[in-house]
Amino acid sequence: MRDIIAEIWATSSRNKLRTALTGFAVAWGIFMLIFLLGAGNGFINGITSNVGSFLANSMQIFGGQTSKAYKGMKEGRSIDLNDADISSTQNHFSKNIETLGAQIRQDGVTITYGENYVSSTLYGVYPNVGEINKIEMLHGRFINDIDNSEQRKSIVISENQAKELAPNQPCSLIGNYVKVDNFAYRVVGINKSDGSSMSTDTYTAFTTLRTMYGRGDKADNIIFSFKGLDTEEANEDFEKEYKSVLNRNHNADPGDEEAIWVWNRFTMNMQMNAGMSIVRTALWIVGIFTLLSGIVGVSNIMLISVKERTREFGIRKAIGAKPRNILYLIIVESIIITTFFGYIGMLLGIAANQYMDATIGQEAITMGSGKAIHTFLNPTVGIDVCIEATLVMVIAGTIAGLIPARKAAKIRPIEALRAE
C-alpha cells in the first residue's frame, strides 16, 4: 500500500494542475452543500425561535376599523374592545376556550426604587398571559387571579429592570415596594429578560391598571388559548364566527373582515412550517446539484487522467501488469484524492458555518416593544450530514474512476503504445 501511495504522489506531483482541479471540484461541492444547509438552518432556526416564544394554540384579538357601512353608520369607525367582548368570547365559544384573558397597556411610566429609576411600559394582564407568552420567572411569581379579583397593586418586573433598580441585590426587590408614577406597587416577581439590551415591559393585574388609569371597561386586546381546532379549516371557520359575534357587539357588519383583527398563532405556525419545509427542500435540491457538479468535475478529470496515461498503462501491461492491477491503481488514486479533498471541503464548510454563528448568528433586532428578535440563529449542520456528504463524494469519485479504469484495463498493450 505504501508503494501505491508513493506512486500516486509521484503521479499527482507530475500533474499538479489536474490534481488541483480534481481536488477543487470535490472540496467545492462538499463546502457549498454544507454552507448552504447551514445558512438555511440559520434562517429557519431564527424564524422558529421567534414563533416558539408563545403558545401555539392561542389567539390574540385586536380592535380594527370598520370597512363597510352598516345601519346608517359609515365605514372607518374605530373598534375598541371591552368587557362585553370578553363575555361574548367566554359565553359563545366556551367549548373551544381553555384560558381567557385580556391586556391593557400604559406607556411611559416611571418605576422608582430609592434613588434609582427606569422607564417602562406597564401591561395590565390576566394570569394566562404568562403561560401564552411563555414568560419565564426567575424569582417570585406572575400575576394571579387574586391580584385581579382584589385589584392588588402587584407588579412583575424584568431581570434587566431589577438590576437597574437594585444593582447589588436584584432579587431583594421581591416583597418590597416600588413607586410606579404616583402609586406604590409591591414587587411579586422578576421575569427573565428577552435578550434585548433593556427590557421595558412590566406587568400588573388587568383590573388594577384599568382602575388606576381610568380606562373604564376597555381592553387593548383579548388573549386566549384554545382546544379542538386542529385543522386550518376549523380555525378559519372559528375566526369567521368569532368576528361575526364581536362585530355585532359594536354595530358593525357581521361580514366585515377589518373591524376585528385575529392573530391566530396556530395557523401561523402551520403556514410557517409549510414554508420552512419548502425552504429545506429547495436548499437540499440546490446543495445536491452543487454536489453533482463536483461529481461531474471529478468524472471528467479522471477520464482525462486515464487518457493521458494510456501509454503508461500499455507499458505496464507489456511488462506483466494484469488488468486488475491497472484497475486497482486508478480506483485507489480516485478514492485517496476524493477523500483527502472531501475532508478539506467538509472542514471549510464547518468553519464557515461556525463563523456565521459567531457573527450574524448572535445578532438580534430589538423591536419597539423591547423584545429581541433573531432573524438568523445557530447556522450549523449536523456532523452526520457532513460525513454523509463526504462519503457520497468519495463513492461518486470511486465510480467516476471505475468507468475509465475498466476501459484502461481492457486496452491491448500495442494499442496503448500507439496512443498519442
Side-chain angles (χ1 to χ4, degrees):
M1 188 66 182
R2 182 181 298 176
D3 294 337
I4 293 176
I5 293 175
E7 188 172 347
I8 291 171
W9 173 257
T11 303
S12 300
S13 300
R14 290 195 304 270
N15 299 276
K16 295 183 177 64
L17 180 60
R18 173 170 58 79
T19 304
L21 290 174
T22 306
F24 178 79
V26 172
W28 180 254
I30 294 176
F31 169 80
M32 285 304 299
L33 176 64
I34 295 173
F35 178 78
L36 286 173
L37 291 178
N41 286 340
F43 172 73
I44 292 170
N45 292 338
I47 298 299
T48 53
S49 70
N50 300 324
V51 174
S53 63
F54 43 73
L55 196 65
N57 60 317
S58 63
M59 296 187 195
Q60 196 162 354
I61 315 302
F62 302 89
Q65 283 190 334
T66 58
S67 61
K68 298 179 181 179
Y70 187 68
K71 291 185 178 179
M73 292 176 285
K74 294 183 177 180
E75 68 275 10
R77 290 185 296 117
S78 295
I79 302 297
D80 295 322
L81 301 178
N82 54 36
D83 285 344
D85 298 316
I86 300 174
S87 297
S88 294
T89 303
Q90 181 65 67
N91 296 333
H92 287 80
F93 305 96
S94 57
K95 66 178 182 179
N96 296 119
I97 300 296
E98 282 189 331
T99 63
L100 173 63
Q103 293 186 107
I104 197 165
R105 170 175 174 165
Q106 183 67 30
D107 293 315
V109 302
T110 301
I111 303 175
T112 307
Y113 182 71
E115 296 181 354
N116 300 319
Y117 66 92
V118 294
S119 295
S120 176
T121 299
L122 183 62
Y123 285 88
V125 300
Y126 278 74
N128 70 325
V129 169
E131 176 188 353
I132 290 175
N133 290 342
K134 296 186 178 180
I135 298 172
E136 183 179 345
M137 300 303 300
L138 297 178
H139 307 284
R141 61 172 177 83
F142 195 65
I143 301 302
N144 61 26
D145 289 322
I146 299 177
D147 292 326
N148 262 304
S149 62
E150 297 183 1
Q151 296 186 15
R152 289 178 175 176
K153 296 187 185 71
S154 302
I155 191 170
V156 176
I157 64 176
S158 72
E159 177 187 10
N160 287 343
Q161 290 173 327
K163 291 177 180 177
E164 290 287 329
L165 295 172
N168 297 327
Q169 214 169 6
C171 60
S172 65
L173 288 170
I174 300 294
N176 288 323
Y177 286 85
V178 295
K179 190 176 181 181
V180 181
D181 289 339
N182 296 319
F183 308 105
Y185 281 73
R186 184 170 179 265
V187 179
V188 296
I190 299 174
N191 66 278
K192 185 176 181 180
S193 294
D194 58 18
S196 58
S197 58
M198 182 61 181
S199 180
T200 60
D201 296 348
T202 53
Y203 304 92
T204 188
F206 177 84
T207 54
T208 302
L209 189 147
R210 196 164 67 169
T211 300
M212 301 295 288
Y213 290 92
R215 305 287 287 275
D217 66 345
K218 304 302 180 184
D220 288 339
N221 61 73
I222 299 170
I223 186 168
F224 56 85
S225 58
F226 59 84
K227 59 185 177 180
L229 304 175
D230 301 323
T231 65
E232 194 166 350
E233 292 75 15
N235 278 268
E236 288 175 356
D237 292 342
F238 177 90
E239 289 181 32
K240 185 176 181 180
E241 183 181 358
Y242 186 85
K243 287 181 178 181
S244 176
V245 170
L246 264 62
N247 283 354
R248 292 190 182 95
N249 288 347
H250 298 275
N251 288 319
D253 189 315
D256 192 336
E257 293 290 326
E258 305 296 325
I260 300 295
W261 285 91
V262 177
W263 179 15
N264 189 329
R265 289 147 172 181
F266 181 81
T267 55
M268 187 181 74
N269 266 351
M270 292 179 67
Q271 294 164 0
M272 190 72 68
N273 290 336
M276 292 304 100
S277 177
I278 293 172
V279 171
R280 285 192 182 96
T281 302
L283 287 171
W284 270 106
I285 291 173
V286 173
I288 288 172
F289 273 102
T290 304
L291 202 62
L292 286 174
S293 68
I295 293 171
V296 170
V298 172
S299 180
N300 288 336
I301 294 170
M302 290 306 299
L303 284 169
I304 294 170
S305 173
V306 171
K307 184 175 179 60
E308 288 178 348
R309 299 172 66 186
T310 302
R311 290 177 62 86
E312 175 192 335
F313 296 146
I315 294 171
R316 287 176 180 271
K317 294 189 73 174
I319 61 177
K322 297 180 180 179
R324 68 169 178 269
N325 299 129
I326 305 296
L327 190 68
Y328 182 71
L329 178 64
I330 297 174
I331 291 176
V332 170
E333 178 181 349
S334 177
I335 291 174
I336 290 176
I337 291 175
T338 309
T339 303
F340 177 75
F341 286 102
Y343 183 70
I344 292 176
M346 183 183 75
L347 291 181
L348 290 174
I350 293 173
N353 287 341
Q354 292 297 328
Y355 177 76
M356 284 194 295
D357 189 26
T359 53
I360 58 177
Q362 302 300 320
E363 293 180 358
I365 300 173
T366 303
M367 307 301 288
S369 63
K371 186 174 180 59
I373 301 297
H374 289 276
T375 56
F376 201 78
L377 185 66
N378 190 26
T380 56
V381 178
I383 190 66
D384 56 332
V385 175
C386 298
I387 294 173
E388 287 168 5
T390 305
L391 288 175
V392 167
M393 186 61 86
V394 170
I395 294 170
T398 303
I399 295 173
L402 180 62
I403 297 171
R406 288 174 60 85
K407 182 179 178 182
K410 292 178 180 179
I411 194 169
R412 296 171 59 189
I414 189 65
E415 295 174 357
L417 291 171
R418 288 175 180 170
E420 294 294 334

